[in-house]
Amino acid sequence: MSPIPERSTAEWQALDAAHYLHPFTDSRALAARGTRVVTRAEGVYLYDSEGHRILDGMSGLWCVALGYGRPELAEAAYRQMQQLPYYNSFFQCANPPAIELAAKLAELTPPQFNHVFFSGSGSEANDTFVRLARRYWMLRGEPERQVIISRWNGYHGSTMAGASLGGMKAMHAQGGLPIPGIVHINQPYWFERGGNLDPAEFGLQAARELEAKIIEIGPERVAAFIGEPVQGAGGVIIPPETYWPEVQRILDRYGILFGSDEVICGFGRTGRWFGCEHFGTRPDFLTLAKAITSGYQPLGALMVSDRVAEVFIEKGGEFAHGYTYSGHPVAAAVALANLEIMQKEGVVDRVRNDLAPYFSTRWGELAAHPLVGEARSLGLLGALELVPRKPSREFFPERGSVGTRARDISIRNGLVMRAVWDTLIVAPPLVITRNEIDELLTKAVTSLDQLHADLRRDGWL
Ligand SMILES: *Cc1c(COP(=O)(O)O)cnc(C)c1O
C-alpha cells in the first residue's frame, strides 16, 4: 500500500487548482493564490506544507474539541474498522457502537431526550428534523401544520433543507432556496440591530417577532421553530439574556415544536454540555454533529424528545427517510471514545469553571483596542466587532473587506481567526491551556495593531 505522496507545496497547489472544487470558495481566486496545504496537527496547533505553525483558534470548523492527535480516537477507529467497518441500520439491523452511542447520548442530553436518529453530518440531521417535525403533525392528525420558522443569518447547513432553514441570503440566491414552507424572522443581533434599545429590551423585541410571524401565518399551520443557541457562522451572535425565555414562552403558548441546533454549542462549547442548558430552554429536538466526534469522523445526530418520539413510535408506519451512513459503526465508535474522554477528563466542567472565565477576562481586554467596537464571549466562543469610530456601532464601508484583511494578517501571525463580514470570531479547542489562551491573545493584539497601521496608511481611518 503506498503512502500519500510527499510533494512540494507548488505541486500540491497545481493539482488542487486543476481538480479540486472547494466548499464556500471562489475557485478562480483560490487557483490564482494557491491553497494552503495543512499537513499535520498536534494539540491546538496546525502545521502547513511550508512549515508554518498556526494556533487553530477555530478548532478546524468548530469541531476539534479535544484537539488534534488524540491516539485514543485513532485506536477506536482502527479497532472498529477491523471488527466491523460498515453495516447499515436499515432493514431491522443495528451495530453495537451505534446502539451504545444512542444510549450514551440519551444519558448526556437533557432528560426529555431518549431517542436519536443518526446521520452523516449536521446538515443531514437538519433535513431529518424537517422531515420528522412535519411527519409528527401528520401523525397527530394536524397535517396542515407544516411551516417551519427560522432566522435570518442563522446557519443550519448546506443541503437543500439545511440551507433553507439557514438565513444566509447569499446561499438562498444560488439554487432556488428556500424550499417551500420555511420562513425567516430577524436575528437577535444587538450590535447591528439594537438601535437605541438596551440589550434586554431588544432581546424581547427580537423574540416577539416570532409571535408576530406565528400569528401572520396562523398558529395552526406552524410545525416548528429552529435556532442556534448562539449563532456561530453568522458571527458568534450571543443573544441578550431576555431572548430565549421569551421565545420559549411563545412556543409553549402556541404548542409549536422547538429545534435547538447544537451543532456548535453542543458538547461543552458554552461551558455546559448543551447550549439549551445554558439558556434554560426545553427543546424537542437537538441537532448534533461536529464536536460529537471532535471532527475525527463525520457524524450527525438528531435527538428527539419523548413527546415527539412517543407519537412517532405509537402511531407506527414506516418513516421513509434514512442515510446509508446512519449509525456508521466507525463514526459511532469514535464518538463514544470522544465522549468518554470528555467525561473522564471533566472537559466541560473545566471550560465552565476555569477556561471560560479566564478567556472572558482576557478576550474582554480587546475591547480597549481602537478598532474593537465590542468584544463578546460565552464559554469558548469569542467575537470582535471591528469598527472605524468608537463608540458608534457603524461598520466600515464595503462591509467585509476589513474583516478579510484582519483574518489574513492573523493567519500570517500564526493564529486562525475567522472573519464574518467585519466580525472576527474564535472558537478554540476545549483543551486549550491558559498559556495557549495568552498566546492567542498576544497574536490577536499584534494582528489588530498591524491592521490599524495598515488602515491608517491606506486612509481608512
Ligand atoms: C456546521 C453547522 C451545521 C452543518 O453541519 P455539517 O456537518 O457541515 O453539515 C448545522 N448547523 C450548525 C449550527 C452548524 O454550525
Side-chain angles (χ1 to χ4, degrees):
M1 187 191 68
S2 12
I4 307 292
E6 285 290 335
R7 299 184 193 272
S8 69
T9 303
E11 283 176 306
W12 267 321
Q13 286 176 333
L15 284 174
D16 179 88
H19 304 294
Y20 195 168
L21 296 175
H22 290 248
F24 287 102
T25 296
D26 175 338
S27 289
R28 189 162 74 160
L30 181 65
R33 177 183 178 148
T35 188
R36 178 184 304 282
V37 184
V38 176
T39 50
R40 68 190 179 88
E42 188 61 41
V44 299
Y45 295 101
L46 304 169
Y47 297 85
D48 71 16
S49 58
E50 316 243 79
H52 298 119
R53 176 178 186 264
I54 307 166
L55 200 169
D56 185 3
M58 282 305 298
S59 308
L61 276 179
W62 321 88
C63 46
V64 189
L66 291 187
Y68 299 94
R70 291 296 301 228
E72 304 93 319
L73 302 192
E75 280 153 18
Y78 182 67
R79 267 200 316 273
Q80 187 56 42
M81 280 193 190
Q82 289 178 310
Q83 176 86 21
L84 178 73
Y86 175 75
Y87 197 69
N88 70 69
S89 301
F90 298 11
F91 317 133
Q92 311 189 349
C93 289
N95 62 74
I99 296 169
E100 295 290 338
L101 179 59
K104 172 59 77 181
L105 290 171
E107 172 200 321
L108 291 176
T109 51
Q112 71 270 32
F113 293 108
N114 290 294
H115 291 86
V116 63
F117 192 100
F118 288 118
S119 66
S121 69
S123 304
E124 289 176 4
N126 278 331
D127 279 44
T128 301
F129 158 75
V130 171
R131 301 284 305 275
L132 221 150
R134 288 178 171 171
R135 178 160 165 80
Y136 167 83
W137 289 112
M138 312 236 313
L139 291 170
R140 282 278 308 264
E142 295 186 53
E144 66 289 354
R145 273 208 196 241
Q146 297 289 297
V147 176
I148 296 175
I149 302 175
S150 60
R151 300 170 310 163
W152 292 119
N153 198 41
Y155 187 78
H156 299 293
S158 202
T159 53
M160 295 293 273
S164 296
L165 293 172
M168 303 292 181
K169 289 182 183 168
M171 292 175 75
H172 291 178
Q174 297 176 7
L177 302 180
I179 58 171
I182 294 177
V183 300
H184 299 82
I185 58 171
N186 282 311
Q187 53 179 333
Y189 186 8
W190 177 80
F191 192 84
E192 182 187 52
R193 309 194 58 259
N196 296 326
L197 296 179
D198 71 39
E201 281 175 282
F202 171 72
L204 287 176
Q205 178 187 291
R208 286 174 189 156
E209 284 196 31
L210 174 62
E211 187 155 36
K213 185 59 85 178
I214 291 168
I215 291 165
E216 176 194 322
I217 298 165
E220 70 293 344
R221 294 184 53 228
V222 180
F225 167 79
I226 187 168
E228 303 155 82
V230 173
Q231 286 155 262
V236 179
I237 292 158
I238 303 165
E241 289 294 326
T242 49
Y243 180 76
W244 281 116
E246 183 66 1
V247 167
Q248 182 72 63
R249 181 193 69 74
I250 293 165
L251 295 172
D252 287 347
R253 172 155 186 211
Y254 297 97
I256 290 165
L257 297 175
F258 179 7
S260 187
D261 185 335
E262 301 267 356
V263 173
I264 286 174
C265 291
F267 304 105
R269 179 56 62 190
T270 67
R272 309 256 167 195
W273 275 92
F274 299 96
C276 61
E277 294 170 314
H278 177 82
F279 291 106
T281 54
R282 297 179 309 281
D284 297 290
F285 300 95
L286 302 180
T287 315
L288 307 176
K290 294 192 172 132
I292 193 171
T293 60
S294 280
Y296 283 55
Q297 283 283 293
L299 178 69
L302 184 73
M303 298 302 298
V304 181
S305 71
D306 290 343
R307 74 164 171 156
V308 175
E310 273 158 24
V311 171
F312 196 73
I313 295 164
E314 286 296 307
K315 302 263 173 170
E318 179 178 316
F319 185 37
H321 174 74
Y323 307 105
T324 298
Y325 298 130
S326 287
H328 193 288
V330 179
V334 171
L336 280 168
N338 178 59
L339 298 176
E340 188 182 313
I341 294 172
M342 282 193 173
Q343 284 188 292
K344 264 214 310 250
E345 297 185 357
V347 169
V348 181
D349 286 344
R350 192 166 69 239
V351 172
R352 177 163 73 249
N353 299 324
D354 180 42
L355 293 173
Y358 186 69
F359 177 70
S360 156
T361 307
R362 299 277 356 247
W363 190 253
E365 292 166 13
L366 295 175
H369 194 277
L371 286 176
V372 175
E374 182 178 78
R376 56 178 180 267
S377 72
L378 175 66
L380 287 181
L381 288 164
L384 301 177
E385 299 285 4
L386 301 180
V387 293
R389 269 178 313 279
K390 294 163 73 169
S392 153
R393 307 205 306 270
E394 290 279 311
F395 293 108
F396 281 97
E398 293 174 43
R399 212 168 152 194
S401 67
V402 168
T404 307
R405 281 171 81 152
R407 178 201 62 194
D408 292 347
I409 291 171
S410 175
I411 292 176
R412 277 204 298 280
N413 286 328
L415 169 65
V416 177
M417 289 201 276
R418 176 163 157 183
V420 179
W421 305 105
D422 293 327
T423 310
L424 290 178
I425 60 177
V426 293
L430 305 186
V431 295
I432 194 169
T433 63
R434 285 183 172 224
N435 283 340
E436 288 161 349
I437 290 175
D438 290 342
E439 183 186 335
L440 187 157
L441 263 294
T442 304
K443 288 182 162 155
V445 169
T446 305
S447 304
L448 288 169
D449 287 347
Q450 277 175 23
L451 175 69
H452 192 250
D454 288 1
L455 293 177
R456 277 236 155 117
R457 184 196 59 207
D458 298 346
W460 285 75
L461 295 173

